Amino acid sequence: MRTVKNYEQRRIKYVDYRIQFWLIAALVLLEIVITLLGTGYLYLVFDQRLEQQLYSVHRAADGLYVDLFTQVGYVLAGMTVTNLLALFVADHLWRGHVDSVTRELERGLRFTRDLDLRAHTIERDAHQILDRLASWRNSERQRMETIWSGLVPLMNKQEYPLDRIRLRQQIRRLAQQLPVGAAADQDSAIGG
């Protein structure tokens, strides 16, 4: 198994467009909405305060700036709280998605580790890695069935008398189903 060095890890991109696109789109839409709402609120408040001060020539605008900055602070605090809540929800959704994919991946790999290559239901279309795992397990199952069907006649001594040439040919056919390194080892073991 190839290990990834530290400097290479930063270049690997883990992207799942199905969920990330919608999360980003929802966050951008939320930003637009809260910016419009905050701007609209500040416009109404500033307009009302300025209208009150417009026709008061002799009255000083002592608390006007403090009141306006306070309103801006309220809007910024509201936007910050809304963004933090949105990020919390997005993080919760993303973690749930990643956990479901890794849970299915671990389940499929556990079956494979136990050499249980029967067709198990793996959530397809949840992630590309699960599709790859399912197709790899299918190919391994087909390879195992081919090897097993070639071994059964070898174990039946009545069908295969101890003819070295036929036995060697059958073992070579079976060795072709093994991974490359194992097939070379097997070929040298049966006498080339």
Side-chain angles (χ1 to χ4, degrees), residues 55-70:
Y55 297 110
S56 321
V57 176
H58 300 291
R59 191 171 55 177
D62 294 334
L64 178 67
Y65 295 115
V66 172
D67 187 34
L68 293 179
F69 283 120
T70 304

Side-chain angles (χ1 to χ4, degrees), residues 76-93:
L76 289 176
M79 291 174 75
T80 302
V81 168
T82 306
N83 278 321
L84 288 175
L85 287 173
L87 287 174
F88 176 75
V89 169
D91 179 61
H92 181 71
L93 291 172

Side-chain angles (χ1 to χ4, degrees), residues 139-167:
S139 67
E140 290 299 307
R141 180 176 50 254
Q142 289 171 356
R143 191 164 64 139
M144 184 182 72
E145 288 170 356
T146 303
I147 291 171
W148 187 249
S149 66
L151 283 176
V152 169
L154 288 177
M155 290 188 274
N156 187 355
K157 290 182 182 178
Q158 293 150 348
E159 186 176 325
Y160 269 100
L162 295 176
D163 180 8
R164 283 182 66 89
I165 295 172
R166 289 177 60 194
L167 183 62

Side-chain angles (χ1 to χ4, degrees), residues 30-46 49 66-84:
L30 177 71
E31 282 300 315
I32 291 170
V33 167
I34 64 173
T35 302
L36 289 176
L37 289 175
T39 306
Y41 173 77
L42 288 176
Y43 175 78
L44 292 175
V45 169
F46 283 18
R49 298 299 191 276
V66 172
D67 187 34
L68 293 179
F69 283 120
T70 304
Q71 295 300 321
V72 169
Y74 289 150
V75 168
L76 289 176
M79 291 174 75
T80 302
V81 168
T82 306
N83 278 321
L84 288 175

